[in-house]
Amino acid sequence: MSDGRTIELQEYKSEIKPTWCPGCGDFAVLNGLQRALQTLQIKPWTVTIVSGIGCSSNIPHFLSSYGFHSIHGRSIPVASGIKLANPELTVIAAGGDGDGYGIGAGHFLHAMRRNLDITYIVMNNQIYGLTTGQASPTSEREMKTKSTPEGVIENPINPISLALAAGATYVARGFSGDAKTLGDLFAKGIRHKGFALVDVLSPCVTYNKQNTYDWFRQRVYSLEKEGHDPSDFHAAMRRATEWPNLDQTRDRIGIGVFYERTDIPTYEELEPVLRKGPLVKQPLGLANPEELLEEFR
Ligand code: SF4
């Protein structure tokens, strides 16, 4: 609530209109995120969204909140710094599969084992879209792209099993063709205290002609409807390894919450320096801060 009134959905929309191709899966992600923030009634001025580089990383421009369009693969370090400076903020990191699971993979792993209270949304289209269609870390084997004219020979990363193994305390997968579930997964991830990964199957309609909306519709199923228990780590790992997997069986792709654990303290809760409150509210401890700043001028 803001001044006792309900914050309207419109207040989470910026004046800048998305520049994505018509039909891009990232539109559903933006809409789902705006709906999640509105459902939770989180004040836009207490939200910071940080992105890397890529089509999907333009998302901070389209959300009415604080935003930081950082550099390739570095959304997590920037988001971590913001969260540690002021844990009272809702911090969201966002980007694509190339950005997060390729160049930013090291940051991704360490943020999960630290259990920082950040929601990380990865718009996974299994291709580099901004650079016009090269294979990414999640491209399937044999997929022909501009950089792999004879087909991909590497195995794709499985972000869900990777997140489980690295210690993420909320692990979910959404699909841009299922907007309702997507918004719910974002809301649960933001509410979760700890690192939340939401990997979103977000088709690139321009450069990935293989993993289309129809391709996914034939394979996705609801984890919840099949009675999956998100508190069961081993069941989550079994579901996670259904797709992608090494023998390229592509039949079933679970959508929903794979895993959630709420009894692990966050990094911020354990960090001794934050016991006295957010750093932004603590005295700088410098007699003359101007002197220090002068060194960097
Ligand atoms: Fe979306 Fe692909 Fe277009 Fe980029 S190139 S905006 S990922 S559809």
Side-chain angles (χ1 to χ4, degrees):
M1 298 285 276
S2 170
D3 306 327
R5 67 176 180 85
T6 302
I7 306 172
E8 301 298 333
L9 187 60
Q10 194 59 31
E11 294 176 67
Y12 297 91
K13 298 182 181 178
S14 85
E15 288 171 6
I16 304 168
K17 298 289 167 237
T19 46
W20 296 313
C21 308
C24 177
D26 299 350
F27 283 99
V29 174
L30 176 64
N31 294 340
L33 182 56
Q34 287 163 337
R35 277 191 295 106
L37 292 168
Q38 202 251 345
T39 301
L40 299 173
Q41 285 292 293
I42 299 176
K43 298 176 177 97
W45 54 95
T46 65
V47 176
T48 303
I49 183 165
V50 185
S51 67
I53 295 294
C55 293
S56 53
S57 285
N58 285 322
I59 197 167
H61 301 274
F62 315 137
L63 189 75
S64 180
S65 70
Y66 285 98
F68 196 129
H69 194 165
S70 76
I71 53 174
H72 208 0
R74 311 297 174 222
S75 63
I76 293 274
V78 175
S80 302
I82 292 167
K83 189 69 189 179
L84 290 177
N86 190 358
E88 291 175 357
L89 295 174
T90 296
V91 179
I92 297 163
D97 42 296
D99 188 74
Y101 302 149
I103 192 166
H107 302 304
F108 175 53
L109 291 179
H110 291 290
M112 290 188 286
R113 79 180 172 87
R114 289 177 185 136
N115 199 32
L116 283 145
D117 187 15
I118 291 172
T119 304
Y120 187 31
I121 298 171
V122 180
M123 286 157 267
N124 182 357
N125 56 20
Q126 302 167 267
I127 196 105
Y128 281 96
L130 189 70
T131 48
T132 72
Q134 296 78 20
S136 84
T138 53
S139 297
E140 290 187 295
R141 237 174 33 227
E142 297 168 24
M143 183 174 169
K144 291 196 165 114
T145 71
K146 277 190 183 167
S147 59
T148 57
E150 294 190 39
V152 171
I153 57 171
E154 297 166 345
N155 293 311
I157 274 183
N158 183 328
I160 304 293
S161 58
L162 196 61
L164 290 168
T169 49
Y170 176 92
V171 182
R173 183 193 279 136
F175 170 42
S176 288
D178 180 354
K180 162 81 178 70
T181 306
L182 199 53
D184 293 346
L185 294 176
F186 291 154
K188 281 184 196 156
I190 292 167
R191 214 185 292 125
H192 174 79
K193 273 186 84 62
F195 193 92
L197 169 71
V198 187
D199 178 78
V200 183
L201 306 170
S202 181
C204 170
V205 294
T206 304
Y207 295 111
N208 187 340
K209 303 293 184 189
Q210 183 169 308
N211 307 105
T212 61
Y213 286 97
D214 283 345
W215 189 92
F216 283 115
R217 280 197 189 100
Q218 287 161 24
R219 290 163 176 82
V220 295
Y221 72 92
S222 162
L223 293 169
E224 192 181 356
K225 283 186 188 150
E226 290 216 356
H228 172 65
D229 174 6
S231 68
D232 184 339
F233 179 84
H234 296 286
M237 197 53 114
R238 271 196 304 279
R239 299 268 184 186
T241 49
E242 286 177 335
W243 183 86
N245 56 28
L246 293 184
D247 53 12
Q248 299 266 81
T249 49
R250 300 164 173 174
D251 293 325
R252 311 201 77 224
I253 304 173
I255 299 294
V257 181
F258 283 79
Y259 187 61
E260 181 165 21
R261 188 164 172 178
T262 55
D263 60 336
I264 306 287
T266 64
Y267 187 93
E268 305 88 282
E269 285 167 340
L270 295 175
E271 172 53 59
V273 171
L274 295 175
R275 281 185 201 139
K276 288 188 220 145
L279 289 179
V280 290
K281 294 185 180 169
Q282 291 186 36
L284 265 181
L286 294 169
N288 189 354
E290 278 304 312
E291 232 170 60
L292 181 68
L293 287 175
E294 201 52 47
E295 278 184 43
F296 296 95
R297 284 199 178 117

